[in-house]
Amino acid sequence: MDAGGTCDARESEGKELQGSSSNKTSRPYMFGALRANWMRWRKLQNIEQRGRIKVNVNGRLCPVELRLVDEAITGDDGRLCSGCFRSSLFGKFKLAVTSHGMISPTDNVLVAFSGGPSSRVALQFVHEMQHKAQKNFIASRDKSLPVFGVGVAFIDESAINCVPSHEFEKAIQDIQLIVSNLAPPAKELHISPIESIFSLDSTDGRNKLKELLLSITDVTGKEDLLQHLLMISLQKIAFDKGYNKLVLGSCTSRIASHVISATVKGQGYSLPADIQYVDARWEIPVVLPLRDCLAQELNMLCSLDSLKTLEVLNGPCSGINGLVSSFVALLQKENPSRDRTIVRTAEKLTPFHFNRIPETDDHNDHLSSLRRHKKFNLKSNESIPSEFFCPICSSPLNKSDLQSLSNLESCQNSAEFFGASCCPSCQFQILPKGDSSMEHFHSLLPQPIIARAKDGSCGTGSWLREQIKDCLLSDDEDGT
Amino acid sequence: MDDTEAKTNKAGGRQCSICNQRRAALKRPKTLQQICKECFYAVFEEEIHQVIVDNHLFKPGERIAIGASGGKDSTVLAYVLSELNRRHNYGLNLFLLSVDEGITGYRDDSLETVKRNEVQYGLPLKVVSYKDLYGWTMDEIVKMIGLKNNCTFCGVFRRQALDRGAALLKTDKLATGHNADDIAETILLNILRGDIARLSRCTSITTGEDGPIPRCKPFKYTYEKEIVIYPCSIYSPNAYRGFAREFIKDLERIRPRAILDIIKSGENFRISTSTKMPEQGTCERCGYISSQKWCKACVLLEGLNRGLPKLGIGRTRGLNNGQNKDMDQTNGMKNIHSKECGTLDF
Ligand SMILES: [Zn+2]
Ligand SMILES: [Zn+2]
Ligand SMILES: [Zn+2]
Ligand SMILES: [Zn+2]
């Protein structure tokens, strides 16, 4: 943050915070200023709510610090100077993390880094939080609060993106540099090719992946399957390397697009599962700390702070997804708060029981953070309903879809059984039509997907399996 | 997938994929099946019959008003309903209900069409005028308030006109021509507006069962494109298409089933029952459904009758502050809106 300049907001904040005001530094979100940021963020929201922001609009003054505003910085909180913009964005991240118990001191979190601005900011913020925790740890006498660990995962999709090899190598170097610069504390970087979930042998995996994608005729289906494979890859890294949280950089705009595209694909029932702060239907719970940040804000932060991103690696989307994102972009242009409204609508849908951090009783250190996020959580329901999940996209299945599933006694082989246990949307846009092509498709699927179909779900509810036991027993060839 | 289908069809002389007898004459918009005209009419009508039966839309002996605007949807609805009523012995007492706003020259054409329908399908036609319903014609209202604000009136008055007309004529139920495209569009618009209460209501095939006149939508799953190619459909230009409607047409182009999928999503949204049924009282004056003491139409009428036409115009934000926070955006949605004001509000 730029030095000097009086700021009414900051002074009064100091009074509110009393003790911590002496600790004013030139870097707002380091040291004890985290809480100050949070206060500032709250204050900002209050100003916004009271409509006082209007007073400052014509003079182009930052409503928080009453400083002249850079023309370019217009977040959705009105116009802010770059310092306040940065801290308001970090404030949103911090609020999401603390109020949903996303990261506790004993955690080891894996940040999924795609190279784009959203995951770049996620990485940056997680680093800043960790860095601050480290400083506190060193300064504390009793060393009671451990510092959470951070790792970074990058999934190499070069098998399908056909990026020229020199460009790809350059990108990998950039990523290594980005991660090594985010120290201390040092972070391990895991680069894993997407085909590695198919086979231990990379050529074999590559061929299987390519053949699998070739067998899908629908462009949107192909794109979506790739997204699911990406998630499986991230889960695999997190699981294998001993992480217990997976951080994604999904921002409001991205989630808004997902709301519309899930609606268009008939996935209205499962939609609320995907858009919450926490999604613990996976082996390793997934958290979305940037859920309240707009894409423009994240882009702006990247350019303000010269955070390096790698746009080249992100392929354009086509089909339904492409149509949806241009529709959402159009709406956004017409009304900048549209993304937020769309997400707010979806927020009013009832989430699932797995949309919160599972409570583990064995850690005493967790207790404080658990207590803190408990009140923000969904009403703890008396009996946790068991869900049945689509083995491809992991969407919880609707009752009516399950009913059509239960007349499965007729299924001839595991491929057919697999196909019938997928959600209608995957059946339509991903599965091939016809028995022989279905068997071929099934033979290409990576082990985690096959295993999920067999388990009957991602961990819960095996009633379906019991219902169709005969079918499973008669045809159990892919044992390992 | 399309290519292979076309090839096999070519080999078999492009036969209808339903009857396998006649030559295929069209690609059915909903499924992209290549079928003959006769089979198209048959499946088109049969699907609507199925929807009526599965959802128990009507009971024998009921008096049903078909909202007739003179547009393609209501024209086809009138024909198909009278046909199905005869074929399947619904035992319904059907009639056409049309509203005359009393705008000189404006409804002449459409009333003409409705009158033709009356003769063609043997359905009696009842026309109720704004004068009957509100005591004012649109022309008189415009004279009173000027052209500037009449959109408020035409939206509010039109929304209630059919229901009031149906009540005036002692109807059991009102059938409207809203099609699958309309419903998909409404679902999207309600998502874009953050209106969860409407979002939960807009997918029901029958609405207002607790109100004076229940409304039903027999075309809930019927594609607009199919209504257009149905024989008795008349040409009715699409005046203005909003973003959402254009988006749906784009979707339909690359994936016809997207329209049905949007409706399916809308039906399956997990909305808690407390949000589902918002407190809906009735107007103290006219008995029409209203969340306030007086319904919007009665407020506007009061203004007109007292010579204060501006009464009730503009946002009601001041009245129900806070709870309307999410709905404020409705005002910013003008560009996204499609159709005439009021017609999509169900
Ligand atoms: Zn400032
Ligand atoms: Zn699925
Ligand atoms: Zn035929
Ligand atoms: Zn009234």
Side-chain angles (χ1 to χ4, degrees), chain B residues 16 18-20 22 35-36 39:
Chain B
C16 166
I18 292 180
C19 64
N20 270 318
R22 288 173 289 259
I35 53 176
C36 69
C39 286

Side-chain angles (χ1 to χ4, degrees), chain A residues 1 7 40 44 61-69 79-85 87:
Chain A
M1 183 174 277
C7 170
R40 194 174 300 154
L44 214 108
L61 287 174
C62 166
V64 181
E65 299 200 334
L66 305 178
R67 247 183 238 174
L68 262 178
V69 170
R79 298 177 152 194
L80 304 175
C81 71
S82 57
C84 288
F85 167 73
S87 40

Side-chain angles (χ1 to χ4, degrees), chain B residues 292 296 312-321 324 328 331:
Chain B
Q292 319 277 303
K296 197 89 208 268
I313 295 181
R315 297 187 209 181
T316 46
R317 232 209 254 186
L319 290 174
N320 31 7
N321 225 338
N324 249 6
D328 281 353
N331 293 295

